[in-house]
Amino acid sequence: MKIVFLTALGVGGASIMGAALGFVFKDISKKFSNVVLAFAAGVMLCASVVSLIMPSLEYTNRFPVLVTTIGIICGALCIDFADKFVPHLHKLAGVDENGNFADNQNLTRVLLFVLAIAIHNLPEGIAAGVGFGTGNTTEAITIALGIALQNIPEGMVIISPMLNAGVSKGRTFFAATLAGIVEVFGTLIGYFAVSLSNAILPFALAFAGGTMLYVISRDMIPETHADGSHAVTYSLLVGFIVMLAIGYYLG
């Protein structure tokens, strides 16, 4: 349990670390922001498929494809349901083509933007916690490491829009910290869910993978690839390869 708690703190702490770096590099351009978020998307894509969905197939005794498929769809539907309340991140927040909030006076939009980030952080935390259900601590830590790795650039790029919207530095950092804390709770939720019964482990793994795939395909890839930059595409591939290497050498 101690290692799970420390992992949860590490995953959430990576978001806070990224936010701190966001203050140092607060004039991040939209192009650079897309590149780092594409890298994060590549890491998440690899983690969701290789570390969550494929193990789901392996741990299912009967009807593995069916169980995994249901888990993926349920995970996607869960985030889709959440999106009904906090829709597409940039559209909701009113972010313009330069990555700034179009209406700097509408702080309600800023708060909703942070809420959207927090909701999309939850499945990442759950994925980190569910990984411990396999009993392979090294593999679970690898998943968490990959998620933490992509949390740093993700945490960086949410700072500039809030500062440009007129939110004070203190409140901006507090909001970013809350988004990181969500992942801590998500990790613990995922761990305790699979600890109650190993029977739900295959479904839980696929569910976590499905939530991450949904976020990647609906939010991260469309937002980062909107300008058609080749650098963004290669950044995603690099992120995928980095996570693949981490899983291979540490798994």
Side-chain angles (χ1 to χ4, degrees):
M1 180 60 196
K2 182 178 180 181
I3 187 65
V4 176
F5 186 70
L6 291 175
T7 300
L9 291 179
V11 170
S15 291
I16 299 173
M17 182 188 301
L21 290 174
F23 283 101
V24 178
F25 305 100
K26 58 185 176 182
D27 296 322
I28 297 176
S29 67
K30 179 63 175 175
K31 184 176 181 179
F32 181 75
S33 172
N34 285 340
V35 169
V36 295
L37 283 180
F39 174 85
V43 171
M44 286 181 64
L45 182 61
C46 183
S48 61
V49 176
V50 176
S51 301
L52 293 169
I53 293 175
M54 296 307 295
S56 171
L57 291 170
E58 296 172 5
Y59 284 100
T60 306
N61 294 323
R62 300 183 62 186
F63 310 111
V65 174
L66 178 62
V67 172
T68 300
T69 299
I70 293 174
I72 292 172
I73 293 174
C74 286
L77 288 174
C78 181
I79 300 300
D80 188 28
F81 179 76
D83 273 352
K84 303 298 182 185
F85 298 96
V86 186
H88 204 247
L89 298 184
H90 284 187
K91 290 182 180 179
L92 170 71
V95 177
D96 62 23
E97 64 274 9
N98 297 317
N100 300 321
F101 285 91
D103 182 0
N104 287 349
Q105 301 302 315
N106 195 344
L107 295 185
T108 300
R109 285 183 177 272
V110 181
L111 294 177
L112 288 174
F113 178 72
V114 175
L115 178 59
I117 292 292
I119 287 177
H120 288 75
N121 277 354
L122 184 62
E124 298 172 16
I126 292 175
V130 165
F132 284 96
T134 64
N136 188 334
T137 302
T138 302
E139 183 178 82
I141 292 176
T142 300
I143 297 172
L145 181 61
I147 293 172
L149 182 64
Q150 67 89 26
N151 279 346
I152 295 176
E154 195 173 67
M156 285 178 61
V157 300
I158 67 172
I159 298 300
S160 182
M162 286 192 284
L163 292 177
N164 291 338
V167 183
S168 68
K169 290 183 178 180
R171 290 184 178 181
T172 296
F173 187 72
F174 178 72
T177 300
L178 287 179
I181 290 175
V182 167
E183 289 197 88
V184 175
F185 283 107
T187 302
L188 297 177
I189 290 171
Y191 171 73
F192 284 117
V194 296
S195 296
L196 294 176
S197 173
N198 284 333
I200 69 169
L201 177 60
F203 174 83
L205 288 168
F207 180 91
T211 60
M212 293 175 70
L213 284 178
Y214 182 92
V215 172
I216 295 165
S217 62
R218 174 169 167 80
D219 291 319
M220 301 183 77
I221 291 180
E223 294 294 350
T224 57
H225 287 69
D227 61 357
S229 170
H230 285 78
V232 170
T233 300
Y234 282 108
S235 180
L236 186 147
L237 293 176
V238 170
F240 188 97
I241 293 169
V242 167
M243 183 59 199
L244 192 65
I246 290 174
Y248 179 79
Y249 287 110
L250 296 184

